Amino acid sequence: MSMKKVMVIGAGQMGSGIAQVHAMAGIDVILHDLKQEFVERGMATIQKNLNRQVEKGRLEEGERDAILGRLTTSTDLQNAKDVDLVIEAAVENMEIKSKLFADLDQIAPDHAILATNTSSLPITEIAAATNRPEKVIGMHFMNPVPVMKLVEIIRGLATTDEVYQAIEDLSRTLSKTPVEVNDFPGFVSNRILMPMINEAIYTVYEGVATPEAVDEVMKLGMNHPMGPLTLADFIGLDTCLYIMETLHDGFGDDKYRPCPLLRKYVKAGWLGKKTGRGFYVYE
């Protein structure tokens, strides 16, 4: 299964990063989103990243131009009609993803693999919206995509070995390290990370320590490069809450209950770095 042409759906932080690493690996990429302004913003992010690489001497100007030349933009899903792979990096919402996969199933060629970058939703349920569940797979990149090496690869119930192998091989082509994970809520990364972040929020909520103190303990004591509350702000507190709710619903276990303070911040619109305020204030 050769991946000559890929469509990435969603031109936000994750989608633009996924598109960039594929184009850097010599693959033609269609970057798709609902509106032209969204894809233009995604392309501007990619260009800025590549320009920074040129300034640092890690990339020649000619290489940058060749990478950009492999990227095209789209606001029409029909452009998936001749791709080998679609990677969906849209909003974390099962209804939206299911509808998208049902549409892609009708548009994409029969041989095409449909992958999702979901961070917590069940691959098997997303696959059930299609007539090709054997060709649906989870391909969970880490943020920021061009920097982070890990790709969690998640099989659905029906995903074939051939499709799994194709995605593992592609991940290596992208200079990533693929890790196979089974289809459980939160997979491995978020099943472990999010309860840690949630517990860090509880320590603030219960008055055990300030956000600064919690982050300092985890950085200096556990050698984490970034404290859990800084990381939560970076991820987005709304995303953290959504993943905790997915874990809580999926396992029915109280240990995944989202901290009331997390809910309060999200209701207040304090979503972290993207809104200028979360556990910290950002200029």
Side-chain angles (χ1 to χ4, degrees):
M1 286 185 176
S2 66
M3 304 294 178
K4 294 192 174 72
K5 196 171 188 181
V6 173
M7 176 184 267
V8 177
I9 295 178
Q13 199 171 11
M14 292 303 289
S16 61
I18 293 166
Q20 180 183 321
V21 295
H22 280 81
M24 289 179 79
I27 298 164
D28 290 329
V29 184
I30 303 167
L31 183 59
H32 174 90
D33 213 317
L34 294 170
K35 293 182 181 172
Q36 189 60 31
E37 64 192 90
F38 297 161
V39 287
E40 283 172 7
R41 199 181 303 151
M43 286 297 291
T45 301
I46 294 169
Q47 189 142 16
K48 187 176 159 190
N49 288 346
L50 295 175
N51 286 343
R52 200 178 296 135
Q53 296 297 309
V54 171
E55 284 162 21
K56 289 179 177 174
R58 292 178 189 158
L59 205 62
E60 297 290 332
E61 284 189 18
E63 289 174 304
R64 174 199 61 198
D65 296 343
I67 292 163
L68 290 170
R70 287 192 280 272
L71 286 152
T72 54
T73 62
S74 157
T75 54
D76 183 357
L77 210 56
Q78 292 296 328
N79 290 319
K81 66 184 183 299
D82 60 349
V83 299
D84 303 305
L85 169 68
V86 179
I87 303 173
E88 168 273 319
V91 66
E92 278 288 90
N93 177 298
M94 182 55 85
E95 209 176 309
I96 290 169
K97 288 188 194 294
S98 293
K99 170 79 170 72
L100 197 48
F101 272 71
D103 291 344
L104 287 166
D105 188 39
Q106 299 300 312
I107 299 165
D110 291 344
H111 75 275
I113 295 171
L114 306 180
T116 173
N117 180 55
T118 181
S119 55
S120 59
L121 295 171
I123 307 306
T124 301
E125 194 176 330
I126 294 170
T130 74
N131 292 310
R132 61 176 100 188
E134 73 286 353
K135 291 193 175 81
V136 176
I137 196 164
M139 196 178 187
H140 181 212
F141 290 84
M142 303 295 130
N143 190 18
V145 179
V147 177
M148 302 294 274
K149 287 288 180 196
L150 175 67
V151 179
E152 277 185 308
I153 304 180
I154 310 102
R155 296 174 189 255
L157 204 55
T159 310
T160 64
D161 290 344
E162 188 187 13
V163 165
Y164 174 82
Q165 196 57 54
I167 296 302
E168 185 180 90
D169 293 346
L170 173 64
S171 301
R172 295 190 198 282
T173 302
L174 304 176
S175 302
K176 302 295 181 196
T177 303
V179 176
E180 184 176 0
V181 174
N182 285 323
D183 192 14
F184 280 83
F187 315 131
V188 170
S189 55
N190 283 317
R191 183 173 175 174
I192 294 170
L193 173 67
M194 285 301 159
M196 183 189 78
I197 287 175
N198 197 49
E199 200 59 36
I201 298 169
Y202 265 114
T203 61
V204 174
Y205 177 61
E206 292 169 2
V208 178
T210 64
E212 292 82 358
V214 171
D215 281 352
E216 203 71 359
V217 166
M218 296 306 288
K219 282 193 295 182
L220 300 180
M222 309 336 169
N223 206 22
H224 289 198
M226 183 188 292
L229 299 171
T230 302
L231 181 56
D233 274 358
F234 183 68
I235 293 166
L237 301 188
D238 52 340
T239 302
C240 293
L241 177 58
Y242 184 82
I243 295 170
M244 283 309 297
E245 285 174 335
T246 301
L247 291 169
H248 194 229
D249 292 347
F251 291 113
D253 191 326
D254 266 0
K255 73 179 178 180
Y256 299 112
R257 184 171 68 92
C259 178
L261 185 61
L262 176 58
R263 289 194 188 281
K264 195 173 189 177
Y265 275 28
V266 171
K267 281 179 182 166
W270 294 5
L271 307 183
K273 201 165 190 293
K274 62 186 171 186
T275 58
R277 178 153 199 178
F279 286 97
Y280 299 94
V281 178
Y282 302 88
E283 296 304 329

